[in-house]
Amino acid sequence: MHLASFMKVNEMFTGVYRIDGKLATKSIVPGVRSYSEELAQSNGEEYRLWNPYRSKLAAAILNGLKHFEFNDKSAVLYIGAATGTTASHISDVASDGRLYCIELSERNMRELIKVCEDRQNMLPILADARYIDSYKESMEECDVIYQDVSAREQASILKINSRFLKKGGYAYFVIKSQSVDVSKDPKEVFESELRSLSGQFEVLEKIRLEPYDKMHLFTVLKKL
Ligand SMILES: C[S@@+](CC[C@H](N)C(=O)[O-])C[C@H]1O[C@@H](n2cnc3c(N)ncnc32)[C@H](O)[C@@H]1O
């Protein structure tokens, strides 16, 4: 569905907009949908509405995220890209940058490849992020890591991959307590995951994602 023209467009962060109150990114591939997102036209530009129930980064922005450290030139390592929903919006923002999209599931990868075919700045990499040897040669030093994996070893995956992050770079680390240990209190899991990263990262923000998501803690870290 295309929304009508003459809407109020405000830029919240580099490349992130509020359009009549809804979150959106400016599409780098007008006319193309990466999932079932709504499109909106304004002043000759096409925007893709960004659904906070489908993307934890969108939910974090709506819940008051302060550090949005992506820009048009960002090099991003995206760990757990799934079918490319959130990655496609980061790809709109990092229009002249590069997104290295790591995904373990072959099924998700098939969908992700279709998204990457439309978007020149996204590179799909079928790999297990616990073992970087298979993709380390394809990597450059990155400005940002975005990690959202449904795996048990979440902090350890970030630690291993932080060698690709420049000093002073940012990590968006989404923690799913149930994947780490379903028997523990989620708060305990969140704290112990962050504690294990304390020598390598400073914690800048912790954001709960309710009402959009109840299972994750969204954190922003800076590499020391
Ligand atoms: C919650 S989904 C990610 C959703 C995605 N970030 C988005 O917002 O569009 C988690 C993904 O992590 C992937 N994953 C789990 N373990 C992984 C691993 N060790 N290496 C790479 N990807 C992994 C899963 O296959 C799944 O697609």
Side-chain angles (χ1 to χ4, degrees):
M1 178 181 129
H2 282 256
L3 296 181
S5 285
F6 313 118
M7 289 169 301
K8 195 169 165 208
V9 179
N10 291 319
E11 189 167 23
M12 287 182 76
F13 292 118
T14 303
V16 179
Y17 302 84
R18 290 299 282 259
I19 300 189
D20 283 355
K22 292 183 177 172
L23 203 63
T25 54
K26 195 185 289 180
S27 181
I28 59 167
V29 284
V32 174
R33 283 188 175 80
S34 296
Y35 50 106
S36 52
E37 73 272 32
E38 282 182 50
L39 304 177
Q41 316 289 334
S42 183
N43 288 327
E45 302 281 5
E46 184 169 283
Y47 296 84
R48 302 168 54 237
L49 300 194
W50 195 356
N51 185 339
Y53 291 95
R54 301 278 305 267
S55 167
K56 291 160 210 125
L57 180 54
I61 292 171
L62 292 178
N63 280 4
L65 178 77
K66 292 186 184 68
H67 296 81
F68 186 82
E69 303 295 340
F70 302 91
N71 62 48
D72 60 335
K73 303 261 184 327
S74 296
V76 179
L77 170 57
Y78 194 125
I79 305 172
T83 57
T85 302
T86 300
S88 70
H89 287 283
I90 297 175
S91 148
D92 281 341
V93 175
S95 51
D96 291 322
R98 192 96 170 126
L99 268 80
Y100 299 87
C101 300
I102 313 293
E103 175 51 49
L104 176 64
S105 147
E106 289 187 16
R107 189 175 171 174
N108 285 343
M109 181 53 67
R110 280 195 285 278
E111 295 303 310
L112 179 64
I113 285 170
K114 290 183 202 158
V115 174
C116 297
E117 278 169 356
D118 291 323
R119 295 175 167 273
Q120 297 297 310
N121 59 358
M122 285 175 66
L123 181 72
I125 300 173
L126 179 65
D128 184 333
R130 291 175 299 173
Y131 309 106
I132 60 173
D133 281 357
S134 65
Y135 57 90
K136 66 180 183 199
E137 304 302 336
S138 314
M139 293 297 306
E140 63 178 301
E141 189 176 60
C142 288
D143 306 298
V144 180
I145 292 180
Y146 187 93
Q147 179 177 314
D148 177 15
V149 289
S150 44
R152 189 174 166 81
E153 312 88 338
Q154 292 169 41
S156 132
I157 288 176
L158 180 59
K159 269 190 211 173
I160 296 164
N161 282 274
S162 68
R163 66 179 274 179
F164 302 120
L165 183 63
K166 71 179 188 193
K167 191 167 181 244
Y170 293 85
Y172 293 81
F173 178 45
V174 185
I175 312 171
K176 185 173 186 183
S177 67
Q178 289 201 317
S179 299
V180 177
D181 191 338
V182 74
S183 69
K184 281 196 182 148
D185 175 5
K187 270 193 189 154
E188 225 179 279
V189 174
F190 297 147
E191 288 312 317
S192 81
E193 288 291 285
L194 289 176
R195 213 175 310 117
S196 73
L197 293 167
S198 62
Q200 279 161 283
F201 288 96
E202 176 191 354
V203 180
L204 301 180
E205 291 188 61
K206 296 181 201 172
I207 302 176
R208 298 305 307 243
L209 301 179
E210 287 92 350
Y212 310 108
D213 177 288
K214 292 190 171 71
M215 314 291 277
H216 299 82
L217 180 68
F218 189 99
T219 69
V220 186
L221 315 178
K222 186 168 186 173
K223 186 174 172 182
L224 298 171

